[in-house]
Amino acid sequence: MKHPLRTLYRIYDLLDNAELKEKVKKNYLKIIRAQLTDSELFFIRYNGMTYYGDNFTKYINKYNILKHLPAFDLLEFKDWWKDLNKIERTGINIVFHNSTRLLRRILLKRDSDIVFRIPGKNLKYGFEIKTKSNYEVEITLQIDNSQKNNIMEYVGFEKFTNKRIQALLDCYLKEIFLYSNFEKFNKEQDLEFYSNPIITNGAICIINSGVRNTQGQALKIK
């Protein structure tokens, strides 16, 4: 992959430094991004985590090259997806994709006490994203075991224990706030990832994970 990766880097470097309006640059670079397959995005991601790909991370972040890379297909999540079929993996990818979009909207507001919930009634799974401040975010998955799940996005969660789900949420937060931006947006030493005890009340189970910036600095996301 080294030759196409070098070529891709040079294309982004050339256009980024070209005397063009930013909107024009982005339009050209979006066309290039649209040509990249999931497999190519996969290698771009892991190459960027090495010494040889470090220079490229500036453009990966600036132009969101990995925008269409399914997060749950990354190797960090292999312990979860290795036992799932394609539909189950796709469902969790959809949950993660929607969650990341909501987190981006929340953090752009720079306010506290904002809550996003998945709408609907009589659902077995309820997903909630909440900001305690602009430097702390919590995600909560509520499971009502008295209900039968009939939503494709959550079929994969049926395969996991509550503790495994919590570990998955922990890993997801580390991915979007730390690894997906190559530790360029938030400093690793300033982030504290935590999991609150799992709460079980009858048929209801509440699983919660969170992240905070211990220096009181605003969390950033791509």
Side-chain angles (χ1 to χ4, degrees):
M1 287 293 294
K2 63 182 179 180
H3 298 300
L5 286 172
R6 286 173 183 167
T7 302
L8 190 64
Y9 168 76
R10 289 302 174 189
I11 292 172
Y12 271 86
D13 187 59
L14 177 67
L15 282 171
D16 184 72
N17 290 287
E19 294 183 359
L20 297 170
K21 293 181 179 180
E22 282 300 313
K23 185 177 181 180
V24 175
K25 289 183 186 179
K26 289 182 178 179
N27 285 337
Y28 280 132
L29 293 170
K30 283 180 180 179
I31 293 172
I32 297 171
R33 184 179 68 187
Q35 309 307 309
L36 299 172
T37 66
D38 287 353
S39 297
E40 289 168 333
L41 293 173
F42 181 90
F43 282 107
I44 290 170
R45 150 62 191 263
Y46 286 104
N47 182 67
M49 300 181 77
T50 70
Y51 168 81
Y52 300 100
D54 185 63
N55 287 339
F56 198 7
T57 59
K58 175 177 67 174
Y59 300 132
I60 294 174
N61 284 334
K62 183 176 180 179
Y63 296 108
N64 203 5
I65 297 175
L66 303 179
K67 178 180 179 180
H68 302 298
L69 175 64
F72 191 59
D73 287 347
L74 294 173
L75 295 176
E76 285 83 347
F77 299 99
K78 183 179 179 180
D79 283 346
W80 290 274
W81 58 246
K82 64 182 176 63
D83 297 322
L84 302 183
N85 61 37
K86 186 175 181 180
I87 292 177
E88 293 164 344
R89 286 176 62 171
T90 299
I92 295 179
N93 263 319
I94 292 172
V95 172
F96 281 179
H97 175 74
N98 291 336
S99 174
T100 303
R101 288 180 61 193
L102 290 176
L103 276 168
R104 189 177 293 113
R105 288 172 59 189
I106 287 176
L107 294 176
L108 283 174
K109 292 179 181 294
R110 298 299 181 196
D111 294 325
S112 59
D113 300 323
I114 298 177
V115 178
F116 279 96
R117 296 185 180 91
I118 292 179
K121 297 181 179 180
N122 300 319
L123 299 177
K124 180 173 181 178
Y125 292 93
F127 202 86
E128 176 183 286
I129 303 174
K130 178 181 180 181
T131 57
K132 290 188 170 183
S133 64
N134 65 356
Y135 57 85
E136 184 170 5
V137 169
E138 285 188 358
I139 54 177
T140 300
L141 184 66
Q142 179 172 299
I143 306 173
D144 184 352
N145 290 301
S146 68
Q147 301 288 336
K148 181 179 179 181
N149 176 55
N150 55 6
I151 300 178
M152 183 274 285
E153 287 92 322
Y154 290 92
V155 171
F157 287 93
E158 302 278 288
K159 298 285 187 72
F160 306 138
T161 65
N162 294 335
K163 288 185 177 180
R164 292 280 289 158
I165 292 175
Q166 186 170 64
L168 175 59
L169 297 181
D170 291 344
C171 190
Y172 164 70
L173 285 176
K174 290 177 182 177
E175 166 59 28
I176 60 173
F177 283 106
L178 197 58
Y179 304 130
S180 69
N181 55 70
F182 307 98
E183 303 180 24
K184 304 293 186 181
F185 290 177
N186 307 287
K187 295 180 180 179
E188 183 175 11
Q189 63 268 25
D190 294 342
L191 296 186
E192 179 184 2
F193 297 91
Y194 61 89
S195 300
N196 294 318
I198 297 173
I199 299 173
T200 302
N201 185 8
I204 304 297
C205 177
I206 300 175
I207 303 172
N208 175 278
S209 294
V211 57
R212 66 171 65 94
N213 186 299
T214 58
Q215 303 303 311
Q217 297 177 355
L219 291 168
K220 298 179 182 178
I221 190 171
K222 217 165 24 178

